[in-house]
Amino acid sequence: MSSRTPSPPPTRSERLARSPVVRRGGQWWLVTGSESILAKDPTFTSALDRFADAMTAADQTVADLHSQQDDPPTPRPGRRR
């Protein structure tokens, strides 16, 4: 089931990846041209939650890798040339 409600356009930080799905106030919305549809199906919203968590973890991993590349290499003891 879903309900239709006019809503303001989402900000980029709320959008899930590059999809038409947005989380606002803990609820998932499917955004179409001029309106938004509230997603109420628990199976669907649970899948969206898992995907959002996976995207957050992936973004963090990439950020960690970038910061490691910015750090100077740590010399290893016993390996000199």
Side-chain angles (χ1 to χ4, degrees):
M1 292 185 115
S2 63
S3 63
R4 294 175 182 252
T5 291
S7 61
T11 61
R12 288 187 188 269
S13 63
E14 297 172 322
R15 189 173 296 276
L16 181 59
R18 294 181 192 152
S19 72
V21 180
V22 175
R23 184 170 21 197
R24 290 190 192 120
Q27 295 179 314
W28 288 104
W29 294 82
L30 304 174
V31 179
T32 63
S34 62
E35 61 187 2
S36 297
I37 301 167
L38 177 62
K40 292 184 177 181
D41 180 86
T43 303
F44 181 57
T45 56
S46 292
L48 292 172
D49 287 334
R50 287 190 304 275
F51 185 70
D53 291 344
M55 290 294 297
T56 299
D59 288 344
Q60 184 60 52
T61 299
V62 170
D64 292 346
L65 289 171
H66 282 294
S67 72
Q68 288 174 7
Q69 289 176 348
D70 293 340
D71 293 338
T74 306
R76 292 193 215 168
R79 293 194 56 146
R80 294 187 185 185
R81 289 195 172 214

mmCIF file of all heavy atoms in Angstrom, residues 1 5 8 13 16 25-26 31 34 36 39-41 43-46 51 53 73 75 77-78 80:
data_model
loop_
_atom_site.group_PDB
_atom_site.id
_atom_site.type_symbol
_atom_site.label_atom_id
_atom_site.label_comp_id
_atom_site.label_asym_id
_atom_site.label_seq_id
_atom_site.Cartn_x
_atom_site.Cartn_y
_atom_site.Cartn_z
ATOM 1 N N MET A 1 0.839 -1.184 0.000
ATOM 2 C CA MET A 1 0.000 0.000 0.000
ATOM 3 C C MET A 1 0.878 1.240 0.000
ATOM 4 O O MET A 1 1.940 1.245 0.570
ATOM 5 C CB MET A 1 -0.878 0.049 1.238
ATOM 6 C CG MET A 1 -1.937 -0.994 1.320
ATOM 7 S SD MET A 1 -2.934 -0.673 2.783
ATOM 8 C CE MET A 1 -4.457 -0.311 1.995
ATOM 9 N N THR A 5 1.400 11.977 -1.720
ATOM 10 C CA THR A 5 1.434 13.262 -1.054
ATOM 11 C C THR A 5 2.359 14.178 -1.830
ATOM 12 O O THR A 5 3.474 13.780 -2.143
ATOM 13 C CB THR A 5 1.993 13.128 0.375
ATOM 14 O OG1 THR A 5 1.046 12.424 1.150
ATOM 15 C CG2 THR A 5 2.274 14.450 1.007
ATOM 16 N N PRO A 8 8.167 18.571 -1.359
ATOM 17 C CA PRO A 8 9.233 19.349 -1.984
ATOM 18 C C PRO A 8 10.284 18.411 -2.564
ATOM 19 O O PRO A 8 10.394 17.260 -2.152
ATOM 20 C CB PRO A 8 9.807 20.168 -0.823
ATOM 21 C CG PRO A 8 9.453 19.386 0.388
ATOM 22 C CD PRO A 8 8.175 18.672 0.078
ATOM 23 N N SER A 13 21.556 14.749 -0.339
ATOM 24 C CA SER A 13 22.033 13.946 0.777
ATOM 25 C C SER A 13 20.989 12.939 1.260
ATOM 26 O O SER A 13 21.339 11.996 1.931
ATOM 27 C CB SER A 13 22.472 14.844 1.937
ATOM 28 O OG SER A 13 21.362 15.565 2.415
ATOM 29 N N LEU A 16 18.930 7.924 -2.095
ATOM 30 C CA LEU A 16 19.644 6.654 -2.033
ATOM 31 C C LEU A 16 20.338 6.432 -3.365
ATOM 32 O O LEU A 16 19.678 6.197 -4.383
ATOM 33 C CB LEU A 16 18.680 5.515 -1.731
ATOM 34 C CG LEU A 16 19.290 4.127 -1.617
ATOM 35 C CD1 LEU A 16 20.342 4.073 -0.508
ATOM 36 C CD2 LEU A 16 18.207 3.107 -1.338
ATOM 37 N N GLY A 25 12.826 11.620 7.420
ATOM 38 C CA GLY A 25 12.252 11.380 8.736
ATOM 39 C C GLY A 25 12.067 9.899 9.055
ATOM 40 O O GLY A 25 11.085 9.530 9.675
ATOM 41 N N GLY A 26 12.986 9.081 8.575
ATOM 42 C CA GLY A 26 12.918 7.651 8.848
ATOM 43 C C GLY A 26 11.969 6.881 7.958
ATOM 44 O O GLY A 26 11.781 5.687 8.132
ATOM 45 N N VAL A 31 10.143 8.986 -5.321
ATOM 46 C CA VAL A 31 9.952 10.337 -5.826
ATOM 47 C C VAL A 31 9.743 10.287 -7.332
ATOM 48 O O VAL A 31 10.547 9.712 -8.063
ATOM 49 C CB VAL A 31 11.176 11.213 -5.489
ATOM 50 C CG1 VAL A 31 10.996 12.618 -6.034
ATOM 51 C CG2 VAL A 31 11.397 11.245 -3.989
ATOM 52 N N SER A 34 6.360 15.218 -9.920
ATOM 53 C CA SER A 34 5.755 16.254 -9.090
ATOM 54 C C SER A 34 5.202 15.753 -7.764
ATOM 55 O O SER A 34 4.615 16.529 -7.011
ATOM 56 C CB SER A 34 4.628 16.928 -9.873
ATOM 57 O OG SER A 34 3.631 15.965 -10.176
ATOM 58 N N SER A 36 5.453 12.502 -4.422
ATOM 59 C CA SER A 36 6.191 11.431 -3.763
ATOM 60 C C SER A 36 5.195 10.396 -3.269
ATOM 61 O O SER A 36 4.088 10.725 -2.863
ATOM 62 C CB SER A 36 6.981 11.966 -2.577
ATOM 63 O OG SER A 36 7.946 12.883 -2.998
ATOM 64 N N ALA A 39 6.541 4.679 0.788
ATOM 65 C CA ALA A 39 6.702 3.228 0.745
ATOM 66 C C ALA A 39 6.358 2.679 2.120
ATOM 67 O O ALA A 39 6.988 3.036 3.109
ATOM 68 C CB ALA A 39 8.132 2.870 0.360
ATOM 69 N N LYS A 40 5.362 1.803 2.178
ATOM 70 C CA LYS A 40 4.908 1.254 3.455
ATOM 71 C C LYS A 40 5.160 -0.234 3.579
ATOM 72 O O LYS A 40 5.024 -0.773 4.669
ATOM 73 C CB LYS A 40 3.417 1.522 3.640
ATOM 74 C CG LYS A 40 3.068 2.979 3.826
ATOM 75 C CD LYS A 40 1.591 3.122 4.106
ATOM 76 C CE LYS A 40 1.213 4.558 4.365
ATOM 77 N NZ LYS A 40 -0.213 4.679 4.659
ATOM 78 N N ASP A 41 5.491 -0.913 2.498
ATOM 79 C CA ASP A 41 5.690 -2.356 2.544
ATOM 80 C C ASP A 41 6.940 -2.678 3.358
ATOM 81 O O ASP A 41 8.042 -2.263 3.008
ATOM 82 C CB ASP A 41 5.834 -2.903 1.131
ATOM 83 C CG ASP A 41 6.035 -4.397 1.132
ATOM 84 O OD1 ASP A 41 5.029 -5.124 1.162
ATOM 85 O OD2 ASP A 41 7.212 -4.824 1.119
ATOM 86 N N THR A 43 8.730 -5.375 3.776
ATOM 87 C CA THR A 43 9.768 -6.140 3.074
ATOM 88 C C THR A 43 10.588 -5.205 2.192
ATOM 89 O O THR A 43 11.820 -5.267 2.163
ATOM 90 C CB THR A 43 9.131 -7.268 2.239
ATOM 91 O OG1 THR A 43 8.366 -8.103 3.102
ATOM 92 C CG2 THR A 43 10.189 -8.082 1.523
ATOM 93 N N PHE A 44 9.904 -4.336 1.465
ATOM 94 C CA PHE A 44 10.580 -3.393 0.572
ATOM 95 C C PHE A 44 11.418 -2.389 1.362
ATOM 96 O O PHE A 44 12.584 -2.146 1.044
ATOM 97 C CB PHE A 44 9.536 -2.669 -0.280
ATOM 98 C CG PHE A 44 10.110 -1.683 -1.252
ATOM 99 C CD1 PHE A 44 11.047 -2.060 -2.200
ATOM 100 C CD2 PHE A 44 9.692 -0.364 -1.227
ATOM 101 C CE1 PHE A 44 11.574 -1.136 -3.101
ATOM 102 C CE2 PHE A 44 10.209 0.566 -2.117
ATOM 103 C CZ PHE A 44 11.149 0.176 -3.058
ATOM 104 N N THR A 45 10.845 -1.817 2.423
ATOM 105 C CA THR A 45 11.588 -0.815 3.183
ATOM 106 C C THR A 45 12.767 -1.449 3.928
ATOM 107 O O THR A 45 13.806 -0.805 4.089
ATOM 108 C CB THR A 45 10.667 -0.055 4.158
ATOM 109 O OG1 THR A 45 9.998 -0.972 5.014
ATOM 110 C CG2 THR A 45 9.639 0.783 3.399
ATOM 111 N N SER A 46 12.627 -2.703 4.353
ATOM 112 C CA SER A 46 13.768 -3.399 4.981
ATOM 113 C C SER A 46 14.893 -3.585 3.979
ATOM 114 O O SER A 46 16.076 -3.424 4.314
ATOM 115 C CB SER A 46 13.331 -4.753 5.535
ATOM 116 O OG SER A 46 12.459 -4.578 6.614
ATOM 117 N N PHE A 51 20.196 -1.895 1.898
ATOM 118 C CA PHE A 51 20.967 -1.318 0.811
ATOM 119 C C PHE A 51 21.616 -0.003 1.246
ATOM 120 O O PHE A 51 22.792 0.245 0.950
ATOM 121 C CB PHE A 51 20.079 -1.098 -0.417
ATOM 122 C CG PHE A 51 20.826 -0.619 -1.613
ATOM 123 C CD1 PHE A 51 21.701 -1.457 -2.295
ATOM 124 C CD2 PHE A 51 20.674 0.677 -2.067
ATOM 125 C CE1 PHE A 51 22.401 -1.014 -3.399
ATOM 126 C CE2 PHE A 51 21.365 1.127 -3.181
ATOM 127 C CZ PHE A 51 22.235 0.281 -3.851
ATOM 128 N N ASP A 53 22.457 0.833 4.284
ATOM 129 C CA ASP A 53 23.555 0.474 5.193
ATOM 130 C C ASP A 53 24.773 -0.006 4.419
ATOM 131 O O ASP A 53 25.905 0.347 4.740
ATOM 132 C CB ASP A 53 23.113 -0.605 6.187
ATOM 133 C CG ASP A 53 22.099 -0.101 7.202
ATOM 134 O OD1 ASP A 53 21.953 1.129 7.351
ATOM 135 O OD2 ASP A 53 21.441 -0.957 7.836
ATOM 136 N N PRO A 73 53.931 6.157 3.520
ATOM 137 C CA PRO A 73 54.104 4.743 3.859
ATOM 138 C C PRO A 73 54.885 4.579 5.157
ATOM 139 O O PRO A 73 55.791 5.350 5.461
ATOM 140 C CB PRO A 73 54.877 4.167 2.676
ATOM 141 C CG PRO A 73 55.349 5.325 1.880
ATOM 142 C CD PRO A 73 54.579 6.537 2.308
ATOM 143 N N PRO A 75 57.560 2.708 7.280
ATOM 144 C CA PRO A 75 58.686 1.803 7.031
ATOM 145 C C PRO A 75 58.556 0.532 7.863
ATOM 146 O O PRO A 75 58.124 0.567 9.015
ATOM 147 C CB PRO A 75 59.914 2.609 7.448
ATOM 148 C CG PRO A 75 59.397 3.739 8.259
ATOM 149 C CD PRO A 75 57.947 3.921 7.936
ATOM 150 N N PRO A 77 60.339 -2.525 9.788
ATOM 151 C CA PRO A 77 61.656 -2.854 10.357
ATOM 152 C C PRO A 77 62.236 -4.100 9.698
ATOM 153 O O PRO A 77 61.517 -5.030 9.356
ATOM 154 C CB PRO A 77 61.366 -3.111 11.844
ATOM 155 C CG PRO A 77 59.887 -3.203 11.966
ATOM 156 C CD PRO A 77 59.281 -2.647 10.737
ATOM 157 N N GLY A 78 63.553 -4.072 9.486
ATOM 158 C CA GLY A 78 64.235 -5.241 8.929
ATOM 159 C C GLY A 78 64.229 -5.303 7.426
ATOM 160 O O GLY A 78 64.802 -6.214 6.851
ATOM 161 N N ARG A 80 65.518 -3.195 4.531
ATOM 162 C CA ARG A 80 66.247 -2.027 4.018
ATOM 163 C C ARG A 80 66.921 -2.395 2.715
ATOM 164 O O ARG A 80 67.390 -3.504 2.528
ATOM 165 C CB ARG A 80 67.292 -1.544 5.009
ATOM 166 C CG ARG A 80 66.691 -1.011 6.251
ATOM 167 C CD ARG A 80 67.767 -0.419 7.086
ATOM 168 N NE ARG A 80 67.184 -0.002 8.364
ATOM 169 C CZ ARG A 80 67.825 0.638 9.280
ATOM 170 N NH1 ARG A 80 69.104 0.917 9.102
ATOM 171 N NH2 ARG A 80 67.259 0.989 10.379
#
